[in-house]
Amino acid sequence: MAHGEPRVALLIALTFATGSVDAVSYLTLDQVFTANMTGNVALLGFAAAGHGEVPLLRTGIALLAFVAGAVASGRLTRHTEPAGGWPGRISVALGASTVLLALVVVLWPVAGRDVLAGLLGLAMGLQGGAVRRLGVADLPTTVITSTLTALAVDEPPRRRRRLAAPVALLAGAVAGALLIRWHPVLGLLPALATQAAVLAAAGAVADPGRHPRAAHRDPADRDPPRG
């Protein structure tokens, strides 16, 4: 098994979690994304054009919270060198994201929607920043536009793993959307359970500092040349 394969599996699992979070936020917080910031930027544009049904304040809160989470995650993991492994600081950032998801579950009955959108955006920003630091090409867990592009242009075997990301996002969205029929909090449980499972499994991904053989990145994880 290539060194990068365990990390890819964990990132695909996190993409599933992202789908369930966005299902909850979009369907229960007045059509606000808390992971897919591309959608939120578009929503802000709709609001600027005078479409009053777009929740401008809540969308802005989610966007700013996501950026804050990504910045915090980036600073926390700044000096990590993944090189095929899963450094401890990545798990710390992902753990903070998971704690925030749990906090949203606890606060859901009493907190306002703006607060909930902000906390979810912060959690997803922490996750997204940590995942970016791992440096696995075309597998960001909070957006799949670049993944779909890579899926269209890459050759196998990279194409096979790229296909798993949109499938995981779709499955997470379906799971979250189905569960909120009973209660919105239930829609977050797949994300919470998945991120906790990823944290538990991350210890099995070799840290190159302890396992020198893992110091070479899987060729499939390398970013394509930039022109």
Side-chain angles (χ1 to χ4, degrees):
M1 178 180 288
H3 294 308
E5 288 185 14
R7 293 195 311 170
V8 169
L10 296 182
L11 295 183
I12 290 171
L14 290 176
T15 306
F16 172 85
T18 294
S20 67
V21 170
D22 259 347
V24 172
S25 64
Y26 189 83
L27 295 174
T28 68
L29 298 179
D30 297 331
Q31 299 182 343
V32 170
F33 293 104
T34 52
N36 178 15
M37 291 300 115
T38 304
N40 276 347
V41 171
L43 289 174
L44 289 174
F46 302 156
H51 291 271
E53 67 274 13
V54 176
L56 178 61
L57 176 61
R58 193 166 305 142
T59 301
I61 289 173
L63 178 60
L64 292 175
F66 183 94
V67 172
V71 169
S73 186
R75 291 186 176 181
L76 175 64
T77 61
R78 178 178 299 171
H79 301 296
T80 59
E81 294 292 340
W86 189 287
R89 290 192 178 189
I90 300 293
S91 290
V92 172
L94 186 58
S97 172
T98 307
V99 168
L100 284 171
L101 289 179
L103 183 62
V104 170
V105 170
V106 172
L107 293 180
W108 193 280
V110 296
R113 293 185 176 185
D114 292 344
V115 173
L116 297 173
L119 290 173
L120 288 175
L122 186 62
M124 292 295 97
L126 283 164
Q127 186 214 93
V131 166
R132 179 171 177 80
R133 191 66 73 185
L134 285 173
V136 179
D138 302 319
L139 275 180
T141 56
T142 54
V143 62
I144 63 168
T145 304
S146 60
T147 306
L148 290 172
T149 303
L151 178 63
V153 302
D154 281 349
E155 298 295 331
R158 297 184 77 171
R159 185 176 294 170
R160 290 194 294 271
R161 80 174 194 177
R162 299 296 186 254
L163 180 61
V167 171
L169 187 71
L170 176 63
V174 170
L178 288 174
L179 288 170
I180 64 172
R181 292 183 176 183
W182 288 275
H183 195 281
V185 166
L186 294 179
L188 290 174
L189 295 185
L192 188 58
T194 300
Q195 291 205 175
V198 167
L199 282 171
V205 178
D207 187 324
R210 292 175 299 185
H211 299 277
R213 289 179 59 193
H216 302 285
R217 292 179 65 182
D218 187 339
D221 288 347
R222 294 174 185 161
D223 292 322
R226 298 182 184 274

